Amino acid sequence: MTIIALLRRREAGIIVMIVIFSLFVGVLQPRFLTSETLRIVLLAVPLVMIAAMGEMMVIVARHVDLSIGSILGFSSIVAGMLWRDHPGLPVLLGVVAALATGSALGLVNGLVVTIFRLPSIIVTLGTLSLYRGLLFFYSDSRQVDPQYIPRDIIGMSQTSPIFGIPWIIIVACVIALATYFFLDHTRLGRQIYAIGSNPTAAPLRGIRAAPVTILVFVISGALAGVAGVLYASRFGYVNPGITGVGFEFTVIAPIVIGGVSINGGVGSVGGTALGVLLLGAVSVALPVLGVSGFWQNAIYGAVILFALVIDRSVRQGGLKGLLARDAA
Amino acid sequence: MTTNLPPSASSQDASKPLWRATLMRPETMTLVLLVAAIIVGSLLSRFFDSLSFILESATYYSEFSIVALVLTLVIISGEIDLSPAAMMALSACLFGSAFQAGVPIGLAMVISIVSGVVMGAFNGFMVLWLRLPSLMVTIGTLTMYRGLAQILAGDRSISKFPTWFVGVDYRELYGVPIPVLIFIFASIVLAVVLGTTILGRQIYQIGTSEVAARYAGIKVRRIKFMLFVSMGVVSAICGLIATSRLASVRYDLASGGELQMVLIVMLGGTYIFGGRGTILGTFIASWLLVIIATGMTVADIPVTYQLTVMGLLLIVSIISTNLIYSRNQA
Amino acid sequence: MFKRLTQLGLSLGLAVAGAAVAHAADKVSIVYIPKNTGNPYFDSLEKGFQDGCAKLGCTFDAQAPATADATSQIPFITAQTQRGVSVIAISPNSPDALNQVLDRARERGILVLAVNGDLVGNLQHRDAGILPVDFTKTGPGQVELLGSEIGYKGDIAILSATTDAPDQNTWIAAMKDVLAHNPKYAKMKLLTIAYGDDDPQKSTTEMEALIQKYPTLKGVISPTTVGVAAAAQVIETAGKAKQITLTGLGTPNQMRPFIKDGTVHAIQLWSPYNEGLLTAYFAVGVKSGAIKNSPGTTFEVPGLGTVTIGPDHIINTQAELTTFDESNIDKYNF
């Protein structure tokens, strides 16, 4: 039962997994256990971390947003084209434009889901394709080349305001902390949990589910927009056919691992952040170990399934309850 | 999901005139769209009006359409399966690898079908015995199956199959390519099963209210498990058809196909929450997709429009299906 | 809702139908199918086609699939066959999945040309291959460039596209060969080959792993445009430009900032524009009967001089790679 108790504190479980994994890799390849690795892992995760904070809120509210990859792509293209076509304007305007684009696309998701009472999975499966199509239109299928990405933006991945920590990591930490504060210490945040854990009871407790749900989608879109700017910063260019493609699974996997229940109402910022770090470490370790990248998908899939089973067994009170036969 | 509506087969409300009930069915919408798409397609390009060309193009979509037929049953029963495209890839890669390793081609085909059974059964086990939501389970298995295909085949393509195996899409019967014939045949069989048999009624009942179905003595778990296994088998078969058509197989076979399959089923008016939908709708929707994609491609309309139109269609179709059903309820 | 959608479709349709009629004339019509849309490399190639057709009086159109999947080009080939174009030029996404559709196109008298990449192992399914340079010289050319920058000595690595990319594998095989057998490169040691799958994220991770795994690493060759751009970004971010010399195949627009700020000294490539131009001249020549499509035949292309059809119907647009460095990079825009 102690293992179950430990697993109940999902965060503790993930920390143990990260430590075991790092030691395992470190034994095989001692160069893995250096501060350089930490730097690479920390540089690799901010994009996922930021988008995961938004997606996590959506999942806590018992929805899902599959369109964030396309939203990320759209936002970064909008910012990139602004920088390219209007070099005189302040760089910050591009960031604002990306944020606005992300929020607007998230708003559309939220409106369609709430007004027509449709399952968000199908709606966002549709907007995943729709937004990508519109993004090709908007960009005329042209990529924004590296020379047009402002040096200040590139510099966010390289320069540091304090302790040698690059800006993008600081941005990710600030957003994670803000999400924690919002979800755990504001009334609105707790309403999101209430809607997710029992959508039918929420209105009875005076919670207006529709506006809160829409807000959650808007936040998710806006954060995908921020991730879009960071994409431009980290990779130095933006391409309509590449940027953000397949990003949704990269984001959802660590959230599920982090203990956010896809049945809504359950999940913590800490668990999500640790989930992101764990998968970040895995993705950095695979090439260091010389493991073919082919393994990555299979590992991701297996990890999602594993996390689902763990999640279920914790709620069923151990593995015995897990396989209990039901009425039929 | 918790409403206790009669199954779709009898949902034509007796109080309304028959023509209204017929008009208000989602399949009718799909049919109207299909006719409109054919007219627009002919206007768009003078190269469009050729039956042999459309049938040839239909072979490119027939694999997804065949899977979508079975997926219709799964969705009517209140579950979903997003992993069939990945199952197609993994079973086809198993087939290719086995063949390349010297296994006789017939046995390699058996291996691929068996792998379909195993993958479908695994999905079913996770959903029905561990009682995990099918949506998340199949998102997980979609990633995992695709990943296993990648580990198995790397990114090389396996080819050099014997000539009799290759080119099933160029074999014709009465001018209709074999994969399209399979699709039509499967549509008829499944329509009969769903529309006239006890099993069909039970599938609707499970989707309408699982609890009620269970009290009525329906073996819910057994039927759903059979549906998941069928998904695996049909995916494996379609994986083989695709391999034959392409004369080669790679791990990225049918990548992104899950979106198209769900699109077809939704477009055909099947209710995402289960309990309603018909094979006829899926059948018409398959042709709609073929006509739209083919029409736009032959008219040299850039692919960006195609992505946009597909996304819009999916959203519009679920909104309208939802509205129609909620109006019927009132 | 549906009505509005249909109206939209109709008005759209009428506009395009008008354009389609123009094809009907007796001119040679060329359609080019690149790997995927949104790829800046192919924009430049299309420009070459357009300029060629403007001079020759052929009609030109480019139709790109959304993704570079092995099968994504198939519906496009069938549709263009149905349209009855005279020439299909294609940069194939797969060396073998297209065989049957291409054969069908050729049965209907369409000239099928592989451009920029060939149907390796399936050459009989196309009429000719137009490749930018002699691919047997690409690998040695890259090794020489890197060698000259690092003094022909030190540990090096290769960051490639996918493990099965036919062109990259041809080049890498030649690189290995020249490193092993040419005494000039005896002191250059190839440590490993990493694969970034032509995905920016994956290429970045692989490049970071290379730097971390091999502290003695002095040089990296990345013979793929996505890989070389990602590698340059990694070196710049890690501040390793002084330790690690990077070269590879990259487009000037993609690599300009890195060459200007000294992260990278030189990269190589060829002119995609000339590939389009040459293909247009070749296609029109063959269709009009002026050029006989058999090895050994020569023909003239304005600006490129005399071109020879080589063995296996392979035509090269230029003999050697073009090297881009600080002195000349501003002269190129693609």
Side-chain angles (χ1 to χ4, degrees), chain C residues 7-76:
Chain C
Q7 279 173 351
L8 186 88
L10 271 174
S11 53
L12 196 87
L14 291 176
V16 181
V21 178
H23 271 285
D26 232 345
K27 293 173 182 173
V28 173
S29 53
I30 303 175
V31 160
Y32 173 55
I33 306 175
K35 280 178 179 290
N36 59 335
T37 185
N39 192 329
Y41 179 86
F42 297 112
D43 294 344
S44 178
L45 214 156
E46 284 168 26
K47 188 80 180 30
F49 269 111
Q50 280 159 4
D51 289 1
C53 270
K55 284 204 188 107
L56 294 161
C58 45
T59 60
F60 172 72
D61 197 6
Q63 289 295 327
T67 58
D69 299 338
T71 57
S72 61
Q73 292 170 319
I74 292 176
F76 290 84

Side-chain angles (χ1 to χ4, degrees), chain B residues 257-271:
Chain B
E258 53 280 347
L259 176 66
Q260 283 213 28
M261 296 170 193
V262 174
L263 174 66
I264 293 173
V265 180
M266 294 292 107
L267 214 51
T270 297
Y271 194 41

Side-chain angles (χ1 to χ4, degrees), chain B residues 2 123 186 262 283:
Chain B
T2 48
N123 282 339
V262 174
F283 181 79

Side-chain angles (χ1 to χ4, degrees), chain B residues 146-211:
Chain B
R146 177 80 61 188
L148 290 174
Q150 219 171 345
I151 293 170
L152 188 71
D155 61 359
R156 79 208 143 89
S157 64
I158 303 167
S159 54
K160 309 271 184 295
F161 298 110
T163 30
W164 69 262
F165 176 78
V166 166
V168 66
D169 53 324
Y170 288 168
R171 314 267 163 77
E172 295 176 349
L173 205 65
Y174 307 113
V176 185
I178 301 284
V180 180
L181 273 180
I182 297 177
F183 169 62
I184 295 171
F185 180 72
S187 304
I188 295 170
V189 169
L190 288 176
V192 168
V193 168
L194 189 65
T196 65
T197 65
I198 296 173
L199 177 67
R201 282 196 77 80
Q202 290 180 335
I203 291 175
Y204 279 116
Q205 277 170 342
I206 294 171
T208 310
S209 168
E210 192 168 327
V211 181

Side-chain angles (χ1 to χ4, degrees), chain B residues 102-157:
Chain B
V103 176
I105 192 159
L107 188 60
M109 287 165 86
V110 173
I111 291 176
S112 118
I113 307 275
V114 170
S115 77
V117 174
V118 173
M119 288 185 280
F122 182 71
N123 282 339
F125 171 76
M126 295 291 279
V127 173
L128 302 167
W129 273 267
L130 300 189
R131 273 164 292 148
L132 296 165
S134 52
L135 182 69
M136 285 312 291
V137 166
T138 54
I139 282 183
T141 53
L142 119 84
T143 320
M144 191 175 75
Y145 294 158
R146 177 80 61 188
L148 290 174
Q150 219 171 345
I151 293 170
L152 188 71
D155 61 359
R156 79 208 143 89
S157 64

